[in-house]
Amino acid sequence: MAGASTTAVAQEFETVIGLECHVELSTTTKMFCGCRNEFGAPPNTNVCPVCLGHPGSLPVPNERAIEYIVRIGLALGCDIAPRSLFHRKNYFYPDMPKNFQISQYDLPVCVGGHLDVEVDEHVRRIGITRVHMEEDTGKTTHAGVTGRIGQAEYALVDYNRAGVPLVEVVSEPDIRSPEEARAYLTELRAILEALGVSDVRMEEGSLRCDANVSVRPAGSHELGVKVEIKNLNSIRSLERALSHERDRQVELLRAGGRPVQETRHFDEETGTTHPLRSKEEAFDYRYFPEPDLPPLELDPAWIEAIRATLPELPAARRDRLRREHGLRPEQASIVGSDARAAEYFERAVALGAPGPAVARWMTQDLAAYLNRTGEGWEELAKRFSPEALADLLRRSEEGELSSTGAKAAFELVVETGRPLGEVIEERGLRQVSDTSQLEAWVDEVIAENPRLVEQFRGGKEGVLNALVGQVMKRSAGSANPQAVSELLRSRLAEP
Amino acid sequence: MPVDIDIDHVARLARLELSDEERERLRAQLSLILEHAAKVSEVATADVPPTASAIPRPTVLRPDVPTPSMGPEEALANAPDREDDRFRVPRIVEVE
Ligand SMILES: [Zn+2]
């Protein structure tokens, strides 16, 4: 697939995207029963008559789950309904043992919010239609010769996940590009993480996303034919699938065709989407009020108490980092979007380290390390604590470490797990400003490089850097480059 | 007022295969039930708010505290088919 750029396509066509994101809440127990809500338990161990839908069992909502959905709704600027209702969504699919899923229909807990996303320093407000409470389904594994869903011969079901509290966040069709969709999902994930309501691990399925996408001629206000894409297991998959689907629909329209309304499955390997045909032909969920659950009435005082406990959200945090610590926008976005990164930053700064220097280290050397190892900030903090970073910056500030020395010290600390002070001592990383030692190295370098010396004396200023480099090499990075440069100049000025 | 009902659609949604005799009998019965339920709308007026629950009781929530689960042996005791500790079911979807 050629993959036309967003800008080129945008001139002729407009892409309209809406996202439905499912968030598994990190409660201790399930939504309507006391079974444990845990990822990775042996199959069918966390099940009981309620979540297996045995006759006569009755659901009772989990208070913590309700608190969490209220937190999410408040963070997204939604109105919290004083009275909402659970409905049964009826369907025949073995991932729910009772043939229905308890969800919400016309009276969800949260309605009408928004999420601001930033793409290329341009902020756009994406509407949130609703946020509703439901229960997750069991996990089906398609089995057969190839293990691919399309060729499965049978399926195996584990109901540990059936009944886990699930929140669905539905956006308005306000998203206009795959890049904006990525920004939306990234920001939503950061907010959920800051709220502490979910593990938000897409690879484990605790955050999942379906996308509705259509394409229409630029300037048109009529909505195009909507295609739903499923199986988006990472933010990268979402962006790739949307780019591919947009290009596919544009090509169809250009060829005089028209997309059909359907559900398509994203194939991670090929980066393409394929129609997903379900044996469930008649999509009629026959929603009706769940007779076993009375309407959910929330005390306004409780809602206000929850509002009072909302943490600082990523957007506010990024703003504050820019304002109070002078971070550049791209630094604030790396440091401020991740709760653990922000905590790392704040701890280092609280120890007296200057904000811009901490941000520079975090977005360069530390970020490179995280990319290389796949670790998170929390793990890094154990290997190289904010205290260590503050110490490292202080030593650099005081001239004890050169910038090369500081980098080497950091690498050694994360590699060996030894304290910073010891590493500096042992590896002789302390920057040498001691003149007699520097003089000895400088004289050796001058003696060994008569041609460079000649060129410098002949007026080629730039050669000095080469000589400084030689001295630095000789000192194994421990010499203070500024002192070396001054010393070289004065020595070379001598006849 | 008799209520017309698409019995084939209802049967399909419920995954039921009906004989002609059953279809006619159930159509008549369901129609009567719907007719009975339709009486409710005759008494529903603008000043009566819609209700979803007949029991006027406050919202009951449960603290987020675990209770014992039954475990795989009991859970799978009545399963028509199993593979290890999971339920085994027929294939579900097809991708073209
Ligand atoms: Zn249970």
XYZ file of all heavy atoms in Angstrom, chain A residues 27-31 33-36 43-47 49 52 60-64 85 92-94 141 149-150 152-157 159 275-277 279-280 284 286 292 294-297, chain B residues 9-10 12-15 50-53 55-76 78 82-96:
760
model
N -10.181 -2.825 39.825
C -10.772 -3.118 41.129
C -10.214 -4.453 41.627
O -9.568 -5.179 40.866
C -12.302 -3.268 40.984
O -12.550 -4.184 39.913
C -12.954 -1.943 40.654
N -10.478 -4.780 42.878
C -10.025 -6.066 43.409
C -10.958 -7.179 42.944
O -10.532 -8.292 42.677
C -10.013 -6.023 44.958
O -9.245 -4.889 45.360
C -9.388 -7.272 45.544
N -12.265 -6.859 42.856
C -13.230 -7.894 42.482
C -14.000 -7.481 41.225
O -13.870 -6.370 40.728
C -14.246 -8.138 43.621
O -15.034 -6.963 43.810
C -13.541 -8.466 44.926
N -14.814 -8.426 40.743
C -15.575 -8.196 39.518
C -16.707 -7.181 39.733
O -16.898 -6.668 40.823
C -16.139 -9.531 39.015
C -15.056 -10.495 38.519
C -15.665 -11.712 37.847
C -14.572 -12.676 37.359
N -15.165 -13.827 36.643
N -17.441 -6.912 38.654
C -18.470 -5.871 38.680
C -19.675 -6.245 39.534
O -20.209 -5.431 40.274
C -18.926 -5.592 37.240
C -19.917 -4.451 37.103
S -19.183 -2.897 37.631
C -20.564 -2.114 38.431
N -20.003 -9.515 41.283
C -19.789 -10.610 42.237
C -18.423 -10.435 42.885
O -17.633 -9.602 42.462
C -19.893 -11.967 41.541
S -18.609 -12.241 40.298
N -18.161 -11.252 43.913
C -16.925 -11.091 44.672
C -15.729 -11.863 44.121
O -14.697 -11.972 44.788
N -15.844 -12.420 42.900
C -14.700 -13.107 42.302
C -13.577 -12.108 42.065
O -13.825 -10.944 41.755
C -15.081 -13.736 40.966
S -16.170 -15.149 41.118
N -12.340 -12.590 42.159
C -11.199 -11.698 41.960
C -11.089 -11.242 40.514
O -11.329 -12.005 39.584
C -9.900 -12.401 42.358
C -9.719 -12.451 43.836
C -8.321 -12.909 44.216
N -8.217 -12.934 45.668
C -7.887 -11.860 46.396
N -7.614 -10.720 45.794
N -7.837 -11.935 47.704
N -7.088 -20.713 34.003
C -8.443 -20.625 33.436
C -9.539 -21.087 34.400
O -9.366 -22.066 35.120
C -8.384 -21.573 32.225
C -6.954 -21.663 31.863
C -6.172 -21.463 33.132
N -10.641 -20.341 34.369
C -11.855 -20.684 35.112
C -11.644 -20.933 36.604
O -12.265 -21.812 37.191
C -12.549 -21.879 34.448
C -13.089 -21.499 33.079
O -13.816 -20.526 32.943
N -12.702 -22.247 32.055
N -10.740 -20.145 37.201
C -10.563 -20.238 38.648
C -11.356 -19.137 39.348
O -11.854 -19.337 40.441
C -9.076 -20.122 39.048
O -8.487 -19.051 38.315
C -8.335 -21.403 38.740
N -11.474 -17.962 38.718
C -12.209 -16.852 39.334
C -13.630 -16.788 38.773
O -13.991 -15.859 38.061
C -11.476 -15.524 39.076
C -10.137 -15.472 39.791
O -9.975 -16.054 40.859
N -9.177 -14.796 39.198
N -14.392 -17.808 39.081
C -15.770 -17.856 38.586
C -16.709 -18.306 39.708
O -16.296 -19.010 40.618
C -15.915 -18.818 37.378
C -15.238 -18.237 36.154
C -15.332 -20.193 37.694
N -21.381 -18.636 40.646
C -22.714 -18.696 40.016
C -23.139 -17.383 39.369
O -23.808 -17.393 38.335
C -23.633 -19.054 41.196
C -22.748 -19.850 42.113
C -21.399 -19.197 42.019
N -21.081 -16.816 36.091
C -21.347 -17.905 35.135
C -22.824 -17.914 34.735
O -23.261 -18.754 33.960
C -20.965 -19.262 35.727
C -19.461 -19.552 35.810
C -19.235 -20.920 36.451
C -18.818 -19.496 34.443
N -24.827 -7.798 42.243
C -24.809 -6.589 43.085
C -23.620 -5.739 42.636
O -22.488 -6.223 42.648
C -24.664 -6.933 44.594
C -24.803 -5.662 45.429
C -25.689 -7.965 45.023
N -23.846 -4.473 42.235
C -22.745 -3.659 41.701
C -21.645 -3.371 42.724
O -21.911 -3.200 43.911
C -23.430 -2.353 41.274
C -24.887 -2.651 41.220
C -25.131 -3.768 42.187
N -20.427 -3.313 42.216
C -19.231 -3.037 42.997
C -19.118 -1.517 43.216
O -19.038 -0.749 42.263
C -18.033 -3.577 42.189
C -16.706 -3.417 42.900
O -16.547 -2.574 43.763
N -15.743 -4.235 42.491
N -19.097 -1.098 44.475
C -19.063 0.333 44.787
C -17.813 1.015 44.224
O -17.871 2.129 43.709
C -19.109 0.522 46.310
C -19.104 1.983 46.707
C -19.297 2.194 48.215
O -19.042 1.239 48.984
O -19.700 3.303 48.598
N -16.665 0.339 44.311
C -15.413 0.921 43.817
C -15.488 1.178 42.309
O -15.020 2.197 41.816
C -14.250 -0.037 44.154
C -12.880 0.356 43.662
C -12.263 1.531 44.398
N -12.351 1.437 45.850
C -11.502 0.733 46.614
N -10.534 0.055 46.068
N -11.630 0.715 47.906
N -29.283 3.603 34.505
C -29.952 2.305 34.458
C -29.070 1.251 33.790
O -28.369 1.546 32.828
C -31.232 2.495 33.622
C -32.426 1.617 33.934
C -32.831 1.778 35.399
C -33.583 2.008 33.018
N -26.067 -14.132 21.240
C -25.611 -15.519 21.373
C -24.159 -15.602 20.954
O -23.840 -15.523 19.769
C -26.457 -16.443 20.501
C -27.851 -16.589 21.014
C -28.836 -15.695 20.645
C -28.155 -17.617 21.892
C -30.118 -15.832 21.136
C -29.444 -17.749 22.384
C -30.437 -16.856 22.009
N -23.310 -15.707 21.916
C -21.889 -15.778 21.644
C -21.305 -16.371 22.914
O -21.668 -15.932 24.014
C -21.368 -14.347 21.393
C -20.039 -14.258 20.712
C -19.955 -14.251 19.321
C -18.867 -14.177 21.460
C -18.727 -14.158 18.687
C -17.645 -14.089 20.825
C -17.579 -14.074 19.445
O -16.356 -13.982 18.826
N -20.463 -17.370 22.805
C -20.089 -18.090 24.036
C -19.192 -17.314 24.996
O -18.854 -17.832 26.051
C -19.374 -19.330 23.503
C -18.903 -18.954 22.150
C -19.874 -17.952 21.611
N -10.392 -18.327 22.914
C -9.194 -18.569 22.131
C -9.601 -19.446 20.959
O -10.195 -20.506 21.148
C -8.143 -19.311 22.979
O -7.972 -18.582 24.192
C -6.815 -19.401 22.255
N -7.883 -16.628 13.407
C -9.306 -16.566 13.739
C -10.190 -17.095 12.602
O -11.147 -17.824 12.813
C -9.703 -15.136 14.179
C -11.149 -15.100 14.653
C -9.472 -14.113 13.107
C -11.581 -13.779 15.241
N -9.815 -16.777 11.360
C -10.649 -17.152 10.224
C -10.702 -18.646 9.957
O -11.670 -19.162 9.417
N -10.310 -20.999 12.384
C -10.468 -21.753 13.624
C -11.476 -22.879 13.454
O -12.448 -22.764 12.717
C -10.918 -20.821 14.741
N -11.213 -24.000 14.117
C -12.150 -25.123 14.073
C -13.072 -25.121 15.277
O -14.209 -25.558 15.219
C -11.369 -26.439 14.016
C -10.808 -26.673 12.621
C -9.699 -27.702 12.612
O -9.373 -28.253 13.684
O -9.153 -27.924 11.529
N -12.542 -24.636 16.381
C -13.374 -24.527 17.580
C -12.761 -23.441 18.459
O -11.723 -22.884 18.130
C -13.445 -25.862 18.319
C -12.109 -26.417 18.746
C -11.620 -26.177 20.031
C -11.332 -27.185 17.879
C -10.392 -26.694 20.429
C -10.103 -27.691 18.269
C -9.639 -27.446 19.548
O -8.433 -27.938 19.932
N -13.435 -23.133 19.551
C -12.929 -22.102 20.451
C -12.926 -22.618 21.884
O -13.726 -23.488 22.238
C -13.784 -20.850 20.346
N -11.994 -22.093 22.666
C -11.900 -22.460 24.077
C -12.210 -21.216 24.896
O -11.752 -20.120 24.566
C -10.490 -22.963 24.390
C -10.100 -24.243 23.643
C -8.631 -24.567 23.872
C -10.982 -25.402 24.099
N -13.014 -21.395 25.942
C -13.439 -20.220 26.698
C -13.013 -20.288 28.158
O -13.161 -21.309 28.824
C -14.974 -20.043 26.637
C -15.354 -18.631 27.049
C -15.510 -20.347 25.249
N -13.690 -18.059 31.582
C -14.602 -17.020 32.084
C -14.026 -16.181 33.222
O -14.759 -15.473 33.901
C -15.937 -17.650 32.509
C -16.732 -18.148 31.320
C -17.038 -19.499 31.171
C -17.159 -17.251 30.337
C -17.748 -19.950 30.069
C -17.868 -17.700 29.235
C -18.158 -19.046 29.108
O -18.862 -19.479 28.020
N -12.764 -7.896 5.961
C -14.130 -7.987 6.495
C -14.247 -9.124 7.500
O -13.669 -10.193 7.303
C -14.973 -8.290 5.259
C -14.127 -8.009 4.092
C -12.709 -8.138 4.525
N -14.957 -8.867 8.575
C -15.167 -9.876 9.606
C -16.630 -10.269 9.531
O -17.508 -9.465 9.779
C -14.857 -9.256 10.970
C -14.852 -10.159 12.185
C -13.641 -11.069 12.185
C -14.832 -9.328 13.451
N -16.867 -11.500 9.140
C -18.252 -11.928 9.004
C -18.629 -12.735 10.227
O -17.954 -13.697 10.587
C -18.435 -12.764 7.735
C -19.880 -13.057 7.392
C -20.040 -13.245 5.891
N -19.032 -14.164 5.353
C -19.162 -15.482 5.357
N -20.219 -16.039 5.881
N -18.223 -16.242 4.833
N -21.303 -15.075 12.444
C -22.444 -15.965 12.248
C -23.695 -15.354 12.831
O -24.799 -15.767 12.558
C -22.163 -17.327 12.880
C -21.216 -18.143 12.028
C -21.158 -19.583 12.489
C -20.454 -20.431 11.444
N -20.283 -21.806 11.899
N -23.471 -14.348 13.699
C -24.584 -13.595 14.267
C -25.123 -12.693 13.164
O -24.577 -11.642 12.898
C -24.051 -12.749 15.428
C -25.072 -11.871 16.109
C -25.913 -12.645 17.090
O -25.446 -13.667 17.609
O -27.036 -12.225 17.298
N -29.664 -7.596 16.605
C -30.729 -6.976 17.354
C -30.488 -7.405 18.788
O -30.742 -8.548 19.154
C -32.083 -7.490 16.838
C -33.225 -6.832 17.578
O -32.993 -6.255 18.664
O -34.364 -6.905 17.079
N -31.860 -6.480 21.433
C -33.064 -6.492 22.281
C -32.747 -6.011 23.706
O -32.946 -6.726 24.679
C -33.667 -7.903 22.310
C -34.253 -8.308 20.972
C -34.469 -9.795 20.897
N -33.207 -10.526 20.948
C -33.082 -11.772 21.401
N -34.120 -12.421 21.844
N -31.902 -12.369 21.396
N -32.866 -7.476 37.515
C -32.233 -7.809 38.794
C -31.500 -6.632 39.432
O -30.924 -6.777 40.514
C -31.246 -8.970 38.612
C -31.965 -10.274 38.287
O -33.171 -10.366 38.600
O -31.325 -11.176 37.713
N -31.833 -2.532 40.482
C -32.635 -1.305 40.532
C -31.848 -0.165 39.882
O -30.645 -0.279 39.694
C -32.810 -1.060 42.034
C -31.675 -1.762 42.683
C -31.314 -2.920 41.802
N -32.542 0.937 39.547
C -31.817 2.072 38.972
C -30.668 2.492 39.887
O -30.758 2.368 41.106
C -32.878 3.164 38.900
C -34.175 2.434 38.868
C -33.969 1.192 39.675
N -29.591 2.963 39.265
C -28.407 3.382 40.024
C -28.581 4.859 40.372
O -28.535 5.717 39.492
C -27.160 3.163 39.166
C -25.823 3.498 39.796
C -25.512 2.564 40.955
C -24.719 3.419 38.748
N -28.815 5.137 41.645
C -28.988 6.528 42.057
C -27.780 6.962 42.848
O -27.399 6.318 43.821
C -30.282 6.660 42.872
C -31.498 6.582 41.962
C -32.814 6.576 42.704
O -32.820 6.842 43.917
O -33.841 6.294 42.049
N -38.933 -13.683 12.922
C -37.838 -12.845 13.413
C -37.541 -13.163 14.872
O -36.394 -13.364 15.260
C -38.224 -11.366 13.243
C -37.175 -10.414 13.722
N -35.923 -10.346 13.137
C -37.180 -9.490 14.717
C -35.204 -9.421 13.766
N -35.938 -8.894 14.720
N -38.580 -13.245 15.669
C -38.409 -13.539 17.093
C -37.758 -14.913 17.276
O -36.851 -15.087 18.083
C -39.769 -13.471 17.823
C -39.609 -13.890 19.283
C -40.350 -12.068 17.739
N -35.820 -16.461 15.183
C -34.421 -16.401 14.739
C -33.550 -15.789 15.831
O -32.471 -16.274 16.134
C -34.332 -15.588 13.446
C -33.073 -15.849 12.659
C -33.187 -15.376 11.209
N -33.662 -14.014 11.081
C -34.778 -13.651 10.462
N -35.554 -14.566 9.899
N -35.139 -12.393 10.403
N -34.043 -14.697 16.432
C -33.280 -14.048 17.497
C -33.084 -14.981 18.685
O -32.052 -14.962 19.337
C -33.994 -12.771 17.962
C -33.972 -11.586 17.000
C -34.828 -10.458 17.571
C -32.555 -11.103 16.763
N -34.066 -15.826 18.955
C -33.982 -16.734 20.097
C -33.343 -18.066 19.717
O -33.231 -18.956 20.542
C -35.373 -16.964 20.683
N -32.894 -18.181 18.488
C -32.278 -19.416 17.974
C -33.210 -20.615 18.156
O -32.812 -21.676 18.618
C -30.950 -19.705 18.701
C -29.907 -18.638 18.533
C -29.483 -18.543 17.068
N -28.361 -17.645 16.899
C -28.460 -16.322 16.817
N -29.648 -15.755 16.896
N -27.397 -15.575 16.657
N -41.563 7.475 33.383
C -41.323 6.074 33.046
C -40.529 5.385 34.153
O -39.702 6.008 34.806
C -40.488 6.138 31.758
C -40.195 7.564 31.499
C -40.845 8.404 32.524
N -40.784 4.142 34.353
C -40.037 3.416 35.377
C -39.421 2.165 34.782
O -39.903 1.656 33.778
C -40.946 3.049 36.558
O -40.151 2.370 37.535
C -42.084 2.125 36.138
N -38.328 1.719 35.363
C -37.675 0.522 34.864
C -37.709 -0.571 35.912
O -37.316 -1.689 35.664
C -36.236 0.835 34.493
N -38.162 -0.221 37.087
C -38.134 -1.189 38.160
C -39.398 -1.060 38.989
O -39.839 0.034 39.305
C -36.905 -0.935 39.052
O -36.935 -1.791 40.161
N -39.752 -2.338 41.940
C -39.476 -2.353 43.379
C -38.826 -1.036 43.784
O -37.715 -0.745 43.378
C -38.512 -3.504 43.744
C -38.945 -4.784 43.013
C -38.450 -3.702 45.236
C -37.819 -5.747 42.797
N -39.523 -0.225 44.566
C -38.917 1.038 44.986
C -37.922 0.807 46.108
O -38.280 0.862 47.276
C -40.118 1.865 45.447
C -41.146 0.849 45.850
C -40.834 -0.447 45.177
N -36.671 0.521 45.734
C -35.672 0.330 46.790
C -34.427 1.103 46.391
O -34.178 1.325 45.212
C -35.360 -1.153 46.983
C -34.908 -1.818 45.716
C -34.432 -3.242 45.956
N -34.067 -3.819 44.660
C -33.519 -5.005 44.516
N -33.276 -5.743 45.549
N -33.208 -5.440 43.311
N -33.666 1.508 47.373
C -32.486 2.309 47.055
C -31.400 1.458 46.389
O -31.419 0.231 46.478
C -32.013 2.791 48.424
C -32.519 1.761 49.389
C -33.798 1.243 48.808
N -30.475 2.135 45.733
C -29.339 1.471 45.120
C -28.532 0.740 46.189
O -28.199 1.312 47.221
C -28.433 2.535 44.475
O -29.215 3.223 43.510
C -27.221 1.902 43.835
N -28.288 -0.516 45.949
C -27.459 -1.278 46.880
C -26.118 -1.541 46.207
O -26.071 -2.069 45.101
C -28.129 -2.634 47.233
C -27.232 -3.432 48.175
C -29.491 -2.402 47.847
N -25.043 -1.117 46.842
C -23.713 -1.386 46.282
C -22.972 -2.335 47.212
O -23.283 -2.457 48.392
C -22.931 -0.080 46.096
C -23.551 0.944 45.131
C -22.714 2.212 45.095
C -23.697 0.362 43.726
N -21.973 -3.002 46.648
C -21.237 -4.033 47.362
C -19.808 -3.524 47.556
O -19.218 -2.970 46.632
C -21.235 -5.249 46.439
C -20.471 -6.454 46.845
C -20.629 -7.538 45.749
N -20.077 -7.115 44.465
C -18.798 -7.131 44.180
N -17.911 -7.530 45.051
N -18.376 -6.726 43.001
N -19.224 -3.671 48.759
C -17.823 -3.255 48.911
C -16.915 -4.127 48.046
O -17.236 -5.289 47.791
C -17.533 -3.466 50.399
C -18.574 -4.412 50.869
C -19.786 -4.232 49.998
N -15.800 -3.556 47.588
C -14.893 -4.251 46.668
C -14.009 -5.249 47.433
O -12.796 -5.096 47.514
C -14.047 -3.200 45.941
C -13.189 -3.794 44.836
O -13.534 -4.887 44.339
O -12.184 -3.163 44.479
N -14.651 -6.263 47.990
C -13.932 -7.240 48.808
C -14.178 -8.647 48.239
O -15.327 -9.011 47.972
C -14.438 -7.180 50.278
C -13.776 -8.252 51.120
C -14.183 -5.795 50.865
N -13.106 -9.428 48.026
C -13.277 -10.744 47.396
C -14.053 -11.736 48.263
O -13.958 -11.711 49.488
C -11.842 -11.250 47.208
C -10.937 -10.126 47.547
C -11.707 -9.131 48.353
N -14.810 -12.608 47.589
C -15.459 -13.738 48.248
C -14.989 -14.986 47.489
O -14.529 -14.873 46.355
C -16.998 -13.616 48.163
O -17.350 -13.405 46.794
C -17.513 -12.455 48.992
N -15.082 -16.174 48.105
C -14.532 -17.368 47.440
C -15.210 -17.662 46.087
O -16.412 -17.472 45.939
C -14.826 -18.492 48.430
C -15.046 -17.815 49.736
C -15.613 -16.468 49.427
N -14.410 -18.105 45.116
C -14.936 -18.527 43.822
C -15.078 -20.041 43.841
O -14.632 -20.699 44.776
C -13.994 -18.084 42.713
O -13.912 -16.671 42.685
N -15.704 -20.606 42.789
C -15.952 -22.059 42.829
C -14.814 -22.906 42.262
O -14.661 -24.058 42.619
C -17.271 -22.392 42.127
C -17.354 -21.931 40.693
S -18.731 -22.629 39.740
C -20.137 -22.320 40.745
N -14.006 -22.351 41.388
C -12.901 -23.120 40.827
C -13.319 -23.933 39.617
O -14.509 -24.159 39.377
N -12.353 -24.378 38.802
C -12.634 -24.974 37.499
C -13.434 -26.287 37.533
O -14.306 -26.481 36.687
C -11.254 -25.202 36.889
C -10.274 -25.018 37.984
C -10.922 -24.232 39.065
N -13.181 -27.165 38.494
C -13.872 -28.464 38.463
C -15.377 -28.298 38.578
O -16.144 -28.847 37.793
C -13.338 -29.399 39.552
C -12.072 -30.140 39.133
C -12.084 -30.600 37.663
O -13.065 -31.260 37.231
O -11.121 -30.289 36.922
N -15.804 -27.497 39.549
C -17.226 -27.264 39.727
C -17.792 -26.478 38.545
O -18.891 -26.767 38.062
C -17.451 -26.511 41.045
C -18.809 -26.787 41.649
C -19.059 -25.976 42.920
O -18.075 -25.568 43.580
O -20.239 -25.744 43.235
N -17.008 -25.476 38.082
C -17.490 -24.633 36.979
C -17.721 -25.458 35.722
O -18.663 -25.225 34.969
C -16.497 -23.517 36.701
N -16.850 -26.457 35.491
C -16.929 -27.229 34.253
C -17.746 -28.514 34.387
O -17.864 -29.281 33.437
C -15.511 -27.563 33.776
C -14.734 -26.372 33.165
C -13.253 -26.517 33.415
C -15.020 -26.245 31.682
N -20.816 -29.246 34.388
C -21.913 -29.460 33.442
C -21.563 -29.056 32.012
O -22.448 -28.947 31.166
C -23.151 -28.676 33.887
C -23.721 -29.217 35.181
O -23.702 -30.425 35.402
N -24.189 -28.334 36.046
N -15.054 -29.955 27.038
C -13.994 -29.153 27.650
C -12.649 -29.568 27.090
O -12.493 -30.648 26.524
C -14.011 -29.313 29.170
C -13.687 -30.717 29.646
C -13.893 -30.852 31.138
N -12.745 -30.348 31.896
C -12.678 -30.371 33.225
N -13.687 -30.841 33.945
N -11.615 -29.936 33.857
N -11.696 -28.695 27.216
C -10.316 -29.048 26.905
C -9.501 -28.497 28.050
O -9.475 -27.290 28.278
C -9.887 -28.443 25.558
C -8.550 -28.979 25.070
C -8.224 -28.529 23.645
O -9.006 -28.827 22.720
O -7.195 -27.856 23.466
N -8.865 -29.367 28.806
C -8.219 -28.988 30.061
C -9.234 -28.235 30.929
O -10.318 -28.736 31.136
C -6.943 -28.193 29.797
C -5.948 -29.014 28.965
O -5.912 -30.248 29.149
O -5.256 -28.425 28.123
N -8.873 -27.022 31.336
C -9.789 -26.307 32.218
C -10.595 -25.225 31.508
O -11.048 -24.267 32.121
C -9.012 -25.689 33.402
C -8.677 -26.750 34.438
O -9.314 -27.832 34.407
O -7.777 -26.515 35.262
N -10.764 -25.400 30.199
C -11.569 -24.415 29.484
C -12.759 -25.082 28.790
O -12.710 -26.257 28.441
C -10.704 -23.672 28.468
C -9.713 -22.742 29.162
C -8.923 -21.907 28.197
N -7.969 -22.705 27.440
C -7.158 -22.204 26.525
N -7.206 -20.900 26.256
N -6.322 -22.974 25.881
N -13.817 -24.284 28.602
C -14.992 -24.761 27.880
C -14.636 -24.832 26.402
O -14.010 -23.924 25.867
C -16.172 -23.792 28.062
C -16.689 -23.714 29.475
C -16.057 -22.907 30.419
C -17.803 -24.449 29.856
C -16.544 -22.831 31.718
C -18.305 -24.368 31.162
C -17.662 -23.562 32.092
N -15.049 -25.917 25.735
C -14.792 -26.043 24.312
C -16.113 -25.835 23.561
O -17.113 -26.491 23.852
C -14.226 -27.424 24.009
C -13.852 -27.589 22.552
C -13.245 -28.958 22.326
N -13.354 -29.258 20.902
C -12.407 -29.836 20.182
N -11.302 -30.214 20.756
N -12.581 -30.047 18.911
N -16.106 -24.885 22.638
C -17.340 -24.539 21.916
C -17.075 -24.521 20.411
O -15.935 -24.422 19.980
C -17.879 -23.153 22.364
C -18.232 -23.155 23.838
C -16.868 -22.056 22.062
N -18.162 -24.607 19.600
C -17.970 -24.590 18.141
C -17.354 -23.277 17.659
O -17.413 -22.263 18.347
C -19.396 -24.735 17.587
C -20.221 -25.227 18.714
C -19.568 -24.745 19.960
N -16.801 -23.296 16.449
C -16.196 -22.085 15.878
C -17.236 -20.961 15.792
O -18.430 -21.213 15.658
C -15.611 -22.373 14.501
C -16.643 -22.862 13.509
C -16.000 -23.300 12.227
N -15.326 -22.176 11.588
C -14.881 -22.206 10.340
N -15.012 -23.300 9.613
N -14.287 -21.185 9.816
N -16.738 -19.728 15.841
C -17.674 -18.616 15.983
C -17.705 -17.663 14.790
O -18.748 -17.371 14.244
C -17.347 -17.796 17.248
C -17.263 -18.729 18.445
C -18.431 -16.755 17.474
C -16.291 -18.293 19.475
N -16.562 -17.160 14.382
C -16.574 -16.142 13.324
C -15.755 -16.599 12.128
O -14.950 -17.511 12.213
C -15.995 -14.796 13.811
C -16.953 -14.125 14.730
C -14.637 -15.006 14.450
N -15.985 -15.921 11.045
C -15.200 -16.203 9.849
C -14.670 -14.894 9.317
O -15.359 -13.890 9.305
C -16.088 -16.822 8.768
C -16.524 -18.233 9.089
C -17.632 -18.692 8.174
O -17.794 -18.103 7.088
O -18.340 -19.623 8.558
N -13.426 -14.913 8.866
C -12.865 -13.749 8.185
C -12.749 -14.141 6.727
O -12.295 -15.228 6.416
C -11.475 -13.388 8.732
C -10.933 -12.177 8.000
C -11.558 -13.100 10.210
N -13.189 -13.266 5.843
C -13.119 -13.600 4.413
C -11.678 -13.564 3.921
O -10.889 -12.767 4.396
C -13.972 -12.610 3.615
C -15.434 -12.996 3.684
C -16.327 -11.883 3.179
O -15.826 -10.878 2.667
O -17.550 -12.050 3.318
